[in-house]
Amino acid sequence: METLFWCFLIGGALFTIVTVFIGDVLGDWFKPIVVAGAGTAFGGAGILLLKYTALGNGAVFAISLLIAVAAALLVLFGFVFPAANSEVSMGFSMQELEGKIGEVTIPVPETGYGEVMIKLGAANTIHTASSFDGMPLSAGTRIVVVKVSDGVVRVSDLEM
């Protein structure tokens, strides 16, 4: 019986290492971390119960199985499901920049291009900019995005 538990303990650890590399390939229907955690918990609990209790093989097997199910549920509800819902995307549409406030980082001439930094969420984004009113904007000037066209933000001085 001890050999069975050692096999589950070692097998679960190896399975965990392998699934780190191929876990995404297996898809959403199979959560390898839950299976590996349950197998490892089953093996570890069985070894400890055999060594440190006077329970018979059947009782050790049943208790180890219950511990494995509890570990699987803990991993599933404590880690897998919350992690699946925690994805954050920094993607945005250029059209969302209209009305945003930023700062000139590279001066924007009357008829050319410069660069502005606009805060989006927790990040700052840098964009090519041109003057909407035909007025030059120096570095450090606070601006507002008036229009976006062809990937260029058309900006105006915010304090004017």
Side-chain angles (χ1 to χ4, degrees):
M1 191 66 134
E2 187 174 352
T3 305
L4 173 71
F5 293 128
W6 275 109
C7 288
F8 268 92
L9 179 63
I10 293 168
L14 290 174
F15 187 72
T16 302
I17 292 168
V18 169
T19 55
V20 164
F21 298 109
I22 65 168
D24 290 336
V25 175
L26 298 175
D28 289 338
W29 60 272
F30 180 66
K31 302 292 184 200
I33 192 169
V34 175
V35 174
T40 306
F42 175 76
I47 291 168
L48 293 173
L49 288 171
L50 277 178
K51 186 168 182 152
Y52 296 110
T53 67
L55 298 172
N57 287 345
V60 168
F61 185 86
I63 294 171
S64 297
L65 194 57
L66 288 174
I67 291 172
V69 169
L73 291 174
L74 183 67
V75 168
L76 187 64
F77 291 109
F79 175 72
V80 174
F81 287 157
N85 297 327
S86 67
E87 183 176 330
V88 176
S89 173
M90 256 316 288
F92 63 92
S93 167
M94 288 292 285
Q95 300 308 319
E96 292 176 38
L97 296 175
E98 291 181 7
K100 298 285 184 194
I101 296 172
E103 183 178 323
V104 176
T105 55
I106 295 178
V108 178
E110 296 171 5
T111 58
Y113 298 98
E115 193 175 81
V116 295
M117 179 173 56
I118 300 169
K119 185 171 176 86
L120 285 174
N124 291 322
T125 60
I126 304 291
H127 301 279
T128 303
S130 66
S131 177
F132 181 77
D133 338 0
M135 303 287 290
L137 302 167
S138 60
T141 303
R142 287 182 38 97
I143 53 90
V144 62
V145 178
V146 178
K147 184 178 177 184
V148 178
S149 60
D150 297 326
V152 176
V153 292
R154 307 280 319 265
V155 298
S156 184
D157 189 340
L158 181 64
E159 288 142 17
M160 227 176 103

